[in-house]
Amino acid sequence: MEITHITAIYYSATGNTRKVIKRIAKNVQEVLQVPLDYVDYTRPKNREKTHSFGPNELVIFASCVYAGRIPNKMLPYISTAFSGTNTPAIPIVVFGNRSFDNALSELTDILSSNGFIPFSASAIASVHAFSSNIGTGRPDEKDLEQIDSFCKNASEYILNNENLVQIEVPGEHPAVTYYTPLGIDNTPVNFLRAKPKTHKELCDNCGACAKACPMSAIDFVDNTLVPGTCIKCQCCVKICHTKAKYFDDEGFISHVKMLERDYVRRHEPAFFLPTT
C-alpha cells in the first residue's frame, strides 16, 4: 500500500502519551519516508476543528487511559471530529502500569466506526499520573525496544499489503465497564467531586495551570480557584513550577495509597499485529 502522509493524533494531559506517540510516529516515518504532522487535542482551543483523512494516509491515534477507558470528557470530540475513508490507523493507549482494561477496544471501535481501519494496535505502560512511585521510569529501555520493533513490523506490513483488516484486541465491544477505584482497604472510593487545592503562599498566579488545563477548569484571574469541572488528570500538579497545586481528598489519597501498594509490579505493554 502506498502511504503519502502520516498524522499522529493524541490527548496527553501530563505529557506521558505525547512522549510515546512521538517515538512511535518518528519510527514509522523512518520506514515509510513520508511527511508527518501532529494533532494535539489536549487543550480546549484545539478541540474546535474537525479532521478527515483519505485511504492513502496513515493515522496514529493515541490516548491516555482513565479508569480503564478513554477519558469520557474527550469521547464526544473523538467520536465526531475525526473521520476516515478506509484510512489505515494504529490506535495506541498509554496506561499507568495498572491495566488498560477496555480503553484499547473502545478506541479501536471508535476509529472503525468513523471510517478507519485499525490494522495494528498497542497498549503502553507508563508512569502513573497520580504517583511517580507507580510505573517509575516507564516506558523504560525494554519497553522502547519493544515499541521500536512494533513500529517496524507495523510499517513494513502496511507497505507490503493492499487489503487491511481490523485487528482484534481484548476488551468489551462495545466498551461499557469503567474501573472502580478502590481505597487502601480495598473498598470502592468516590472522588469525582475532588478538585486541586493550592498552597497560596507558593502560588505566584503565573497562569500556567489555567492555560494547560484540558477542561479550562482553573480561573485565569485567580489561579487558586477551580470553578470548572476537574477530571483529576494531574496536569496542574505536574506543570506548577512552585509545587503549589495538590489534592487532599480522602478518597483520592486512599486510592493512590492502594495503587502504590498493589501496582508497583511491572505490567508489560501489549502489541497487536496482523498474523499474515
Side-chain angles (χ1 to χ4, degrees):
M1 174 177 285
E2 180 185 2
I3 297 296
T4 60
H5 191 272
I6 303 168
T7 302
I9 303 167
Y10 64 95
Y11 168 87
S12 182
T14 60
N16 296 330
T17 301
R18 180 177 66 247
K19 292 177 183 177
V20 169
I21 194 172
K22 289 199 170 183
R23 174 102 180 190
I24 290 174
K26 289 289 187 181
N27 281 341
V28 173
Q29 185 190 32
E30 285 183 9
V31 178
L32 300 185
Q33 292 294 299
V34 296
L36 165 64
D37 288 323
Y38 292 93
V39 174
D40 175 4
Y41 66 93
T42 308
R43 313 303 176 217
K45 66 178 182 180
N46 295 340
R47 298 196 292 270
E48 298 172 354
K49 296 181 180 179
T50 58
H51 306 268
S52 59
F53 305 91
N56 293 109
E57 298 182 75
L58 171 63
V59 166
I60 306 172
F61 205 115
S63 173
C64 47
V65 177
Y66 289 0
R69 297 274 299 274
I70 301 301
N72 66 341
K73 294 299 183 182
M74 302 300 135
L75 281 176
Y77 182 69
I78 297 174
S79 300
T80 59
F82 302 98
S83 62
T85 304
N86 293 322
T87 304
I90 304 176
I92 311 289
V93 295
V94 179
F95 64 100
N97 198 53
R98 185 191 64 80
S99 175
F100 59 93
D101 292 330
N102 292 311
L104 191 58
S105 62
E106 183 170 40
L107 181 56
T108 300
D109 288 348
I110 291 172
L111 292 175
S112 179
S113 65
N114 286 1
F116 297 90
I117 306 174
F119 69 97
S120 299
S122 70
I124 308 299
S126 177
V127 60
H128 203 291
F130 290 175
S131 172
S132 59
N133 295 323
I134 308 163
T136 306
R138 307 288 300 281
D140 57 20
E141 286 302 316
K142 180 182 177 182
D143 296 320
L144 295 179
E145 288 179 4
Q146 294 181 75
I147 290 171
D148 293 350
S149 177
F150 166 79
C151 293
K152 182 176 183 293
N153 291 331
S155 301
E156 291 179 348
Y157 182 86
I158 197 172
L159 282 177
N160 296 319
N161 290 272
E162 289 293 331
N163 299 315
L164 304 180
V165 296
Q166 180 170 329
I167 194 74
E168 293 185 5
V169 301
E172 297 175 345
H173 299 274
V176 176
T177 306
Y178 282 94
Y179 167 72
T180 300
L182 302 177
I184 193 66
D185 60 356
N186 292 322
T187 62
V189 291
N190 187 331
F191 46 85
L192 290 175
R193 295 183 181 276
K195 292 186 177 184
K197 300 292 184 64
T198 305
H199 294 293
K200 294 185 178 181
E201 71 279 8
L202 297 178
C203 178
D204 60 8
N205 215 50
C206 70
C209 58
K211 293 175 183 177
C213 177
M215 297 300 294
S216 290
I218 300 173
D219 191 280
F220 279 87
V221 177
D222 183 350
N223 298 162
T224 68
L225 303 177
V226 188
T229 300
C230 173
I231 57 175
K232 272 61 74 178
C233 70
Q234 307 299 301
C235 177
C236 61
V237 175
K238 303 292 184 182
I239 204 170
C240 181
H241 72 102
T242 64
K243 309 299 181 184
K245 292 292 184 187
Y246 67 99
F247 280 80
D248 66 355
D249 180 88
E250 290 184 3
F252 176 80
I253 292 174
S254 182
H255 178 55
V256 173
K257 288 180 179 179
M258 184 280 295
L259 292 172
E260 291 178 330
R261 181 192 66 196
D262 295 347
Y263 292 100
V264 294
R265 86 291 183 263
R266 180 184 181 88
H267 193 133
E268 295 295 337
F271 301 96
F272 305 92
L273 288 159
T275 56
T276 58

